[in-house]
Amino acid sequence: MWVISRGWLNAPTVRDSRLEQELFGVRFPNPLGLAAGFDKNAEAVGKWQSLGLGFSEIGTVTSRAQQGNPRPRLFRLAEDRALINRMGFNNEGASAVARRLAAAKPAIPIGVNLGKTRDVPLEQAAADHAESFRHLRPFGSYFVINVSSPNTPGLRSLQEKGPLTEIVTTLKEIDGTKPLFVKISPDLSTEALDDVLEVAHDQRLTGIIATNTTIGRKGLKSNVKQDGGLSGRPLFDLSNGLLSHLAASADKRMVLIGVGGIFSGGDLYTKISLGAHLCQIYTGFVYGGPKTAPRILREFLELMHKNDVASLEQLRGSTR
Ligand SMILES: Cc1cc2nc3c(=O)[nH]c(=O)nc-3n(C[C@H](O)[C@H](O)[C@H](O)COP(=O)(O)O)c2cc1C
């Protein structure tokens, strides 16, 4: 982060009209963005475009600054191309992040991911989100309600209809013009996922981000026994399952952001063909390094060419 925030890393940007799209009034130069949790404090917010990314999501930001969990809290499972993390929303708090965003001039769209402060009771989650939103409202192309991190006790219960509706309506009362997304856990049952969809439809959310990390440990080769959320390759099929379900059930105007286990252009191709409008990457970037995004986009364009696909729109949902 230190090196990236100084602009010392660059990767050749892949520009191609087939990668561009306009969604909810925002122009995206390409469909691959940085997932939340990498630039929690917007320290490198003006720099992600020079690594070839099409948008970046900052946060999770909480209303108050917090330390997160004690270290160690991030573990590599190299054999599995995976990570386990229990960071616990370490961040500088909404007003500090807002000051940084106010000074930045990012060339790509910025998502702002909001979460509940650990010390705030679950019943006050809506008011806590509202406080962050008041600070950060001017600075996001879109906003995310993150109710899916496994590392804040009880947080994922906020995905239930009542609490989620309360958070959404509270934010909409403050400013109903901002595109709002909810980010979901891959560990939701189909019924719980349908409940989220119902809230998303009723409240006219802009879209859904699928998915956060899993608490499951299926199919791992590594013997790393640590609590936290698992990301990377082992999450690919699981998150794709939820994405497919959403694509099949959500109404057409709902924007889907696919995240979980993207390492190659083929992975990006799969998620878009399942119905994603945009995708995000975290673990693949950790293992692949600074040239990851342009490599993935070049591979993706080759696949489009090979399969005679002329646009993202044509590809989207083609395997449904
Ligand atoms: C170290 C680490 C920290 C993360 N922090 C956050 C976070 O603060 N907020 C959030 O919504 N997701 C967070 N995530 C989840 C990612 O945004 C993403 O949903 C997940 O890692 C799956 O994508 P991937 O397989 O490409 O890593 C974090 C992931 C990792 C590995």
Side-chain angles (χ1 to χ4, degrees):
M1 274 302 301
W2 193 79
V3 172
I4 295 170
S5 63
R6 275 156 188 78
W8 292 347
L9 285 183
N10 284 292
T13 311
V14 178
R15 284 206 186 84
D16 192 298
S17 59
R18 287 171 296 170
L19 297 174
E20 292 169 15
Q21 57 188 334
E22 187 171 324
L23 298 163
F24 51 92
V26 178
R27 188 101 207 124
F28 289 85
N30 74 61
L32 184 63
L34 184 75
F38 208 110
D39 193 1
K40 286 177 185 279
N41 296 309
E43 286 168 89
V45 71
K47 304 294 188 296
W48 295 107
Q49 72 267 14
S50 36
L51 293 174
L53 289 152
F55 63 109
S56 72
E57 191 171 304
I58 66 112
T60 294
V61 186
T62 55
S63 68
R64 303 180 214 150
Q66 52 181 34
Q67 298 271 312
N69 287 318
R71 288 165 203 255
R73 55 193 182 181
L74 176 57
F75 307 88
R76 279 187 191 237
L77 285 65
E79 255 186 299
D80 294 298
R81 293 201 290 165
L83 297 170
I84 291 177
N85 92 81
R86 51 169 181 270
M87 306 300 286
F89 291 170
N90 52 304
N91 78 105
E92 294 173 12
S95 56
V97 175
R99 274 197 298 280
R100 203 167 281 133
L101 283 171
K105 290 195 176 53
I108 51 175
I110 301 299
V112 177
N113 181 304
L114 309 174
K116 186 189 78 67
T117 308
R118 189 185 178 99
D119 290 344
V120 167
L122 286 166
E123 304 73 57
Q124 290 164 30
D128 190 54
H129 281 78
E131 196 179 328
S132 300
F133 188 53
R134 279 194 198 95
H135 287 291
L136 295 161
R137 187 167 64 99
F139 308 116
S141 309
Y142 68 89
F143 292 82
V144 183
I145 301 167
N146 176 15
V147 280
S148 48
S149 164
N151 300 315
T152 296
L155 189 92
R156 286 169 301 154
S157 68
L158 299 173
Q159 291 172 113
E160 288 164 22
K161 264 190 213 170
L164 182 57
T165 304
E166 194 188 341
I167 298 172
V168 175
T169 50
T170 307
L171 298 190
K172 289 211 154 192
E173 272 164 26
I174 296 170
D175 186 343
T177 68
K178 301 288 174 186
L180 268 187
F181 286 77
V182 60
K183 183 165 177 180
I184 59 169
S185 159
D187 304 322
L188 288 178
S189 64
T190 308
E191 296 75 52
L193 183 57
D194 286 337
D195 283 351
V196 172
L197 254 179
E198 198 181 315
V199 175
H201 283 142
D202 289 352
Q203 300 300 325
R204 303 199 139 267
L205 285 185
T206 300
I208 297 178
I209 305 187
T211 66
N212 213 312
T213 55
T214 175
I215 56 167
R217 296 291 186 263
K218 264 202 203 123
L220 294 183
K221 297 188 200 96
S222 336
N223 192 25
V224 177
K225 300 258 178 294
Q226 292 291 344
D227 290 337
L230 176 73
S231 59
R233 196 65 212 173
L235 187 58
F236 188 64
D237 289 341
L238 183 63
S239 58
N240 288 352
L242 278 90
L243 178 63
S244 303
H245 183 81
L246 290 172
S249 324
D251 79 39
K252 291 280 166 285
R253 47 146 216 101
M254 191 83 69
V255 176
L256 300 177
I257 303 183
V259 50
I262 295 180
F263 286 79
S264 68
D267 298 336
L268 179 64
Y269 195 91
T270 299
K271 286 210 194 268
I272 295 177
S273 62
L274 289 174
H277 297 76
L278 296 166
C279 290
Q280 295 175 324
I281 184 169
Y282 191 133
T283 306
F285 186 72
V286 170
Y287 282 103
K291 295 190 174 135
T292 303
R295 172 184 52 80
I296 289 177
L297 292 168
R298 275 194 304 272
E299 290 168 0
F300 177 78
L301 284 168
E302 273 166 33
L303 279 171
M304 281 181 89
H305 179 69
K306 195 173 131 214
N307 297 330
D308 250 340
V309 173
S311 68
L312 294 173
E313 214 177 342
Q314 187 189 338
L315 177 60
R316 188 154 42 243
S318 55
T319 57
R320 231 186 288 158

